[in-house]
Amino acid sequence: MGLIAMEEAFAVPELQAKYPVPRTVTAGHWAEDWAKRLCDYTTYRLHDMDEHGVDIQVLSLTAPGVQCVTDARQAVTDARVANDHLAGVIAAHPTRFRGLAALPLQDPEAAVAELHRAVGSLGLSGALVNDHTGGGYLDDPRYEPVWAALEDLDVPLYLHPGAPPTEPWRVLAGRPELQGPLWSWAAETGGHALRIIFGGVFDRHPRARMILGHMGEFLPFQLARLDSRYSRQAQRTLTRKPSEYFGSNILITTSGVCSPAALAGAVLAIGADAIMFAIDYPFEDTAEAVRFLDQAPLSDTDRAKIGHGNAVRVLHLHT
C-alpha cells in the first residue's frame, strides 16, 4: 500500500456555476488551473496520482460546498446531486477513489437522512462540511441528531474551512491577503472546533470523530495553553481536559502543511495514530506533499500509519 490522500477536492459543473470557489487573493493562472482540475478525474488527476505514488484520493466537494446555500430545500437537492456524482466517480474507479459526503445542515433532519443514504446506499466513507452553515455551528443542540448518526454509522466528520463569512472581521480590514487559506480560514475553523469541544459534543457523543485538516488548524500546538487556561476557569463542564479529546475524538491531516517541524510537533502532541496524509489537491502540489512525507523524520511504522494505515482504519477501507 502506498498513499491515501484524505482531503482532495472535486467540483460538479452544474453546482460550480452556481457556487464558485471562494475568491481569495490568488494569481489568475492558479485559479484557472484549479478550475480545470476540480472537474477532472482521468486526464489530470489520475496521472498526477500515478506519477507520485498516490494510491487513493478521498474526494470531497470543494469549498464552499452546500454550506453557502441559503434555501434549505435547495441545499438538500444540491447535496444529493453532489453525492450521487461522487458515487458515480468512485464506481468508475473503485480502486482509486473514495469519498466524503456533502451534508445539507440547513435542515438537520434531512442531513441525517442524507448521511444514512450516502454511507448506506452510496458507499461513501463519512462526511465533510465547510465550517459553519449560515452562521450555525455544530455545537448547536439542533445538530445533536447529526452527531448521533455519525456515531451510529461509525464514520467521521471532516470539518473544513471555506464557508462565506457571516460578518466582517476587523483584523482583516485592509489586509485581503490574510482572508482565506493563508490565515483566517484556519483561525475560523479552529474556533469552530473549539466550540464543538467546549460545547460538550464529545462528552455526549464519545464515539464521534472529527477530522481537522491543515495540521489541525493550529490547535495541536495550543493544547497546553488550552488545558492551562481551562483549569483556571470558574465554569468547567467537560469530563476531560481539552487536550484529551485530541487523538480520540479529534484527528488531523497534513493537508497543505509540508513542514517536518509541524509534523514532528503534531506527533509529539497527539500521536501518530491520529494523523493522516493529505495533499489538498488541486490547491497544493502533490510532488511536494509526497516528498515531505517521504523525508519527514519518522519511523517507518509511523510513516506507514500516517501515509495509509490510519485512513484505512478510520474510513473502514478495504484495499
Side-chain angles (χ1 to χ4, degrees):
M1 174 58 61
L3 295 173
I4 298 174
M6 283 286 299
E7 187 194 313
E8 318 312 320
F10 78 95
V12 181
E14 62 190 277
L15 299 182
Q16 191 177 28
K18 294 194 295 182
Y19 313 122
V21 176
R23 285 190 171 274
T24 57
V25 180
T26 300
H29 71 281
W30 285 113
E32 292 175 9
D33 183 68
W34 297 338
K36 72 181 182 183
R37 292 176 184 273
L38 281 167
C39 296
D40 167 79
Y41 304 98
T42 55
T43 303
Y44 304 108
R45 193 182 299 259
L46 281 175
H47 174 76
D48 188 77
M49 293 166 66
D50 290 341
E51 183 177 2
H52 300 294
V54 177
D55 283 5
I56 294 172
Q57 280 192 0
V58 181
L59 303 174
S60 51
L61 184 64
T62 194
V66 299
Q67 268 59 65
C68 70
V69 184
T70 56
D71 180 81
R73 288 180 295 179
Q74 189 63 52
V76 172
T77 298
D78 290 350
R80 289 181 65 92
V81 168
N83 295 335
D84 287 344
H85 176 93
L86 177 54
V89 171
I90 295 169
H93 307 278
T95 65
R96 307 307 303 275
F97 298 127
R98 297 293 191 276
L100 300 175
L103 291 186
L105 293 175
Q106 293 84 344
D107 180 339
E109 184 177 338
V112 169
E114 183 59 16
L115 179 62
H116 277 278
R117 187 183 80 93
V119 174
S121 299
L122 301 182
L124 302 186
S125 300
L128 180 144
V129 300
N130 293 285
D131 198 12
H132 65 84
T133 302
Y137 292 92
L138 284 161
D139 61 320
D140 191 300
R142 69 194 187 108
Y143 294 124
E144 287 290 295
V146 176
W147 289 108
L150 291 163
E151 278 192 300
D152 291 343
L153 292 167
D154 192 22
V155 295
L157 176 73
Y158 203 124
L159 186 64
H160 185 274
T166 58
E167 57 188 359
W169 195 357
R170 187 160 181 79
V171 73
L172 302 176
R175 292 265 62 93
E177 65 270 30
L178 297 180
Q179 176 65 51
L182 190 144
W183 183 75
S184 70
W185 282 359
E188 291 163 343
T189 310
H192 189 167
L194 290 177
R195 290 186 64 99
I196 292 167
I197 294 170
F198 285 95
V201 168
F202 298 123
D203 292 337
R204 296 188 297 276
H205 302 282
R207 292 180 292 107
R209 286 167 299 166
M210 179 172 68
I211 302 172
L212 297 174
H214 317 110
M215 211 68 80
E217 312 291 7
F218 304 160
L219 294 181
F221 314 106
Q222 293 292 320
L223 297 184
R225 177 70 171 169
L226 294 175
D227 287 350
S228 171
R229 292 299 91 197
Y230 179 68
S231 70
R232 289 160 174 78
Q233 289 185 351
Q235 180 178 347
R236 297 196 301 274
T237 58
L238 300 178
T239 62
R240 289 179 276 167
K241 297 178 182 178
S243 66
E244 292 174 348
Y245 297 92
F246 287 78
S248 53
N249 301 106
I250 300 176
L251 313 173
I252 74 170
T253 76
T254 64
S255 59
V257 183
C258 297
S259 164
L263 180 57
V267 170
L268 288 171
I270 65 174
D273 289 337
I275 305 170
M276 293 171 281
F277 174 73
I279 299 163
D280 208 350
Y281 179 95
F283 308 111
E284 300 285 352
D285 183 70
T286 301
E288 182 182 7
V290 171
R291 183 169 57 250
F292 149 70
L293 185 62
D294 284 346
Q295 298 177 358
L298 298 168
S299 68
D300 289 343
T301 298
D302 285 352
R303 199 182 322 276
K305 288 179 180 180
I306 294 169
H308 64 267
N310 294 335
V312 169
R313 171 174 51 84
V314 171
L315 300 184
H316 308 295
L317 302 183
H318 302 288
T319 57

